[in-house]
Amino acid sequence: MSCTHTSDVLVVGGGVIGLVTAWRAAQRGFTTTVVDPAPGGGAAQVAAGMLAAVTELHHGEQTLLGLNLESARRYPDFVAELTELTGHDLGYRRCGTLAVALDADDRALLRELHALQHRSGLTSEWLSGRECRRLEPMLAPGVRGGLRVDGDHQIDPRRLAGALLTACERAGVVLRPAWAERLNVRRGRAVSVTVSDGDELAAGSIVLAGGSLSGRLAGVPEAVLPPVRPVKGQVLRLTVPKRYAPFLSRTVRAVVRGSQVYLVPRENGELVVGATSEELGWDTTVTAGGVYELLRDAHELVPGITELPLTETRAGLRPGSPDNAPLLGPTELPGLLLATGHYRNGVLLTPVTGDVLAHALVTGELPDEARAFTPRRFGANDRTDAVLTEQLA
Ligand code: GLY
C-alpha cells in the first residue's frame, strides 16, 4: 500500500549537486529527503574533476566566471569541512594546470585565451615550448607554447560523491532509492513527488537537482521546466605504474584540431583522459571513435601514454543549459526550486551551489553571488501572465 512521507525539503537527484544541497539543508535544521535510484551516482562518476575556472574561460561567460571563481575560492574550506566530518580523503590537489599548443592554430587560440584571461583580471603565465617541457618532461617535443595556470586545481569526483553521501547520512538526510516519477502541484504550489514504488513524498520545498534528467520529470508545468539537455562526454581512465611516476605532475590540456583533450593525474596513479562533447540525446555508448580520438589527441600531447594500462572507458551526460550556466533557486512555481544545468562545471560549482540553495531555502531569496543564475531568466518573459497563471495553477 502506498503512503505519504513528509519532510521540510525533498531533493530530486542524488548526484553531487543534489547531495550537497541536501547536506547543507540538513545542517540548517530542515528535515531532508533525497530521492534517487542510486544516490552518489550521476555525472560525477564519469567527470575528471578539474576545477578549471581560468583555463575553461570562454568569451561571453564573464558572469559565470564570477560564480566559478567564487566556488573555487570556497573549495579549500569545503574540502577541510567534509574531510573532518567524514574522514574521507577527497583527492583535492592544488597542482595547477598547463594548457599547451601543438601547432600555430592552437597557439593562436591559446594566445587569445591568455588575452581574455588578462582582461578578466586572472593570473596565467605564457611559457615557451621549452619551458612547458621543463615543467612536464613527458610532453611531446612539438609543443609550441603554453599557459601555466597555478590556480586551477583538481578533486576526485567519485570520492567527493562518497564523502557527500556520508555527510548526508550523518546529518540525518533520508535517502530514498527510487525514481521520482511525477511532481504533484496543488492549488498553484509544488507539494509532493510520486516515486516509483508508489509512495508520495511531500515537502515544503522541492529541489529539482536531477542533472541532465531535470527537464523530464512529469508534472512539472512547462513554464518552469528547466531547459536542460544532455551533452555526452566520453572519458578514459589509465593507470600510471609506480615505475613511471610522476608521469605528469599537473593537469595538462590542449585543443587538438578543435577538440578539447585533458589529462588529469591523480596522486593514486590514476590518469583521467577526457572528454568528448557530443549532442546525441540520451546516448551513453562508449564508441570506438570516441576512444580513438581521445587516445590519438592525448598521444599527440604526451606520446608515452600508449605504454599505460587502459583501465576504464565510460560516458556520462553533462546537464547543458542555453547559456552554459546553472539554474539555481526558486522558480515561478511556489515550492519548487532548481539546482541544475551546471554543464561543464558541476564539480567546480558544488560548494557554492550547496551554500546558495541553503540560503534560498532559508530566506526564499538568492544570495548576491547567485542572483544572475535565477531560473526566472529563461522563458517566463515571453509568456503572458495569463498563460503563466494557467500553467502554474
Ligand atoms: N569540465 C570538463 C568537461 O566537461 O569536460
Side-chain angles (χ1 to χ4, degrees):
M1 198 183 74
S2 66
C3 51
T4 303
H5 303 264
T6 304
S7 45
D8 297 327
V9 176
L10 173 65
V11 181
V12 178
V16 289
I17 296 299
L19 291 177
V20 76
T21 301
W23 176 43
R24 291 308 196 194
Q27 283 182 321
R28 301 297 196 283
F30 292 114
T31 56
T32 304
T33 301
V34 172
V35 56
D36 189 302
Q45 292 299 315
V46 181
M50 290 180 299
L51 307 176
V54 178
T55 33
E56 290 208 355
L57 175 63
H58 292 102
H59 284 284
E61 293 185 0
Q62 243 67 13
T63 313
L64 176 60
L65 171 67
L67 193 70
N68 286 345
L69 289 173
E70 183 53 37
S71 204
R73 192 185 66 73
R74 294 181 195 195
Y75 241 104
D77 288 348
F78 173 78
V79 168
E81 184 183 352
L82 257 185
T83 304
E84 163 98 27
L85 198 76
T86 64
H88 290 227
D89 171 2
L90 305 187
Y92 181 50
R93 245 184 124 180
R94 296 190 221 202
C95 54
T97 297
L98 184 64
V100 301
L102 290 167
D103 61 25
D105 287 347
D106 299 346
R107 197 167 180 276
L109 208 68
L110 217 49
R111 281 283 194 198
E112 187 56 37
L113 174 63
H114 190 210
L116 179 63
Q117 289 166 342
H118 186 71
R119 285 198 300 279
S120 309
L122 302 170
T123 307
S124 58
E125 185 189 357
W126 184 262
L127 301 182
S128 67
R130 185 176 300 196
E131 287 167 325
C132 290
R133 280 190 300 281
R134 205 173 297 138
L135 275 186
E136 295 296 340
M138 296 304 284
L139 279 174
V143 165
R144 305 276 294 262
L147 271 180
R148 177 178 177 166
V149 180
D150 288 344
D152 276 357
H153 304 139
Q154 60 149 300
I155 193 164
D156 185 334
R158 291 177 176 175
R159 294 184 188 203
L160 172 64
L164 284 170
L165 209 47
T166 303
C168 281
E169 283 162 353
R170 299 236 169 114
V173 172
V174 175
L175 302 171
R176 282 295 299 251
W179 284 102
E181 295 211 319
R182 162 168 288 276
L183 178 78
N184 302 304
V185 179
R186 294 195 188 110
R187 284 189 217 95
R189 185 175 181 88
V191 291
S192 65
V193 168
T194 303
V195 299
S196 44
D197 59 16
D199 281 358
E200 190 173 338
L201 308 182
S205 300
I206 297 169
V207 182
L208 187 45
S212 55
L213 289 166
S214 301
R216 297 193 106 192
L217 181 62
V220 178
E222 204 199 311
V224 292
L225 201 63
V228 172
R229 67 185 199 285
V231 182
K232 176 178 172 181
Q234 301 191 47
V235 174
L236 318 176
R237 283 175 162 79
L238 298 93
T239 303
V240 178
K242 282 209 168 64
R243 64 181 184 283
Y244 291 153
F247 189 76
L248 295 172
S249 58
R250 73 204 67 226
T251 296
V252 168
R253 57 186 302 157
V255 178
V256 183
R257 287 178 292 272
S259 302
Q260 295 273 354
V261 64
Y262 44 78
L263 292 82
V264 183
R266 305 232 194 277
E267 250 152 19
N268 65 5
E270 184 177 80
L271 180 69
V272 186
V273 178
T276 64
S277 192
E278 303 164 73
E279 302 266 0
L280 291 174
W282 302 100
D283 173 34
T284 51
T285 318
V286 174
T287 63
V291 174
Y292 165 72
E293 280 169 29
L294 288 172
L295 285 177
R296 179 197 63 197
D297 295 349
H299 173 255
E300 280 192 33
L301 214 56
V302 180
I305 199 172
T306 48
E307 302 296 317
L308 306 181
L310 175 62
T311 40
E312 190 184 317
T313 58
R314 195 133 170 209
L317 299 173
R318 307 175 183 89
S321 78
D323 59 5
N324 300 337
L327 290 83
L328 303 176
T331 64
E332 295 288 353
L333 178 64
L336 181 69
L337 297 87
L338 300 183
T340 189
H342 292 71
Y343 189 37
R344 300 182 71 97
N345 298 304
V347 176
L348 171 61
L349 290 173
T350 296
V352 82
T353 298
D355 296 344
V356 164
L357 265 292
H359 183 102
L361 287 165
V362 171
T363 66
E365 306 277 337
L366 283 171
D368 287 347
E369 67 273 18
R371 279 197 214 287
F373 303 98
T374 171
R376 292 172 173 141
R377 72 189 188 275
F378 296 117
N381 288 346
D382 50 25
R383 294 189 180 96
T384 64
D385 283 354
V387 172
L388 263 180
T389 309
E390 190 184 309
Q391 286 190 355
L392 302 182

